[in-house]
Amino acid sequence: MATVFTKIINGDIPGRFVYRDETVAAFLTIEPIAYGHTLVVPIKEVDRWTDLSADEWAHVSAVAHNIGRAITDAFDAPRAGMLIAGFEVPHAHVHVFPASDMSGYSLQNIMRADDTDPDAMDAAAAKIRAELTKAGIDTGVDDK
């Protein structure tokens, strides 16, 4: 059975994509720590990041790095946080988010989906795509 991430990647469930290539997709989480909180997910459905090949992990990491830079610029954040957890969805993924202090690193501090502003979520995705584009990175995503 496909994971929720595979359903988002395949377009069966809507997602706010900021990047996509043949190996990796990156989209905003519906329950962010802060606006701009992005999940970097291999398209290949693998449960644990340690089960990805070294090349696959390197690509996920490189995409997360680019998105982290875009997030710090887009949100004027002092840091881009990165977490690997993976208990909530059995599909490897990296959380990348704007962080001002260590409290931002706790997934206990998420906003529930019903508490997020859809316009702010759309704007956050557009800001990240714009920063990636400004850095010369083809996002593979239509800016909508």
Side-chain angles (χ1 to χ4, degrees), residues 33-34 75-81 97-105:
I33 291 171
F75 299 97
D76 196 27
R79 298 281 186 273
F97 51 90
S100 296
D101 56 45
M102 288 305 294
S103 68
Y105 286 77

Side-chain angles (χ1 to χ4, degrees), residues 7-115:
K7 291 176 183 177
I8 292 168
I9 291 165
N10 290 342
D12 300 328
I13 297 173
R16 289 178 175 92
F17 287 84
V18 298
Y19 179 88
R20 185 176 181 143
D21 64 26
E22 66 283 344
T23 307
V24 173
F27 46 86
L28 298 189
T29 178
I30 62 169
E31 293 188 329
I33 291 171
Y35 289 107
H37 182 164
T38 302
L39 302 177
V40 181
V41 184
I43 291 173
K44 177 179 169 183
E45 200 169 286
V46 174
D47 183 9
R48 299 178 302 197
W49 70 273
T50 53
D51 291 335
L52 292 166
S53 73
D55 288 342
E56 291 166 328
W57 171 247
H59 188 62
V60 168
S61 182
V63 171
H65 182 260
N66 288 335
I67 289 172
R69 284 185 172 185
I71 282 173
T72 58
D73 292 341
F75 299 97
D76 196 27
R79 298 281 186 273
M82 185 171 106
L83 290 171
I84 303 168
F87 288 103
E88 62 280 0
V89 177
H91 191 146
H93 59 286
V94 176
H95 297 258
V96 183
F97 51 90
S100 296
D101 56 45
M102 288 305 294
S103 68
Y105 286 77
S106 174
L107 294 177
Q108 301 299 319
N109 295 329
I110 63 169
M111 293 180 259
R112 297 288 170 205
D114 292 342
D115 295 331

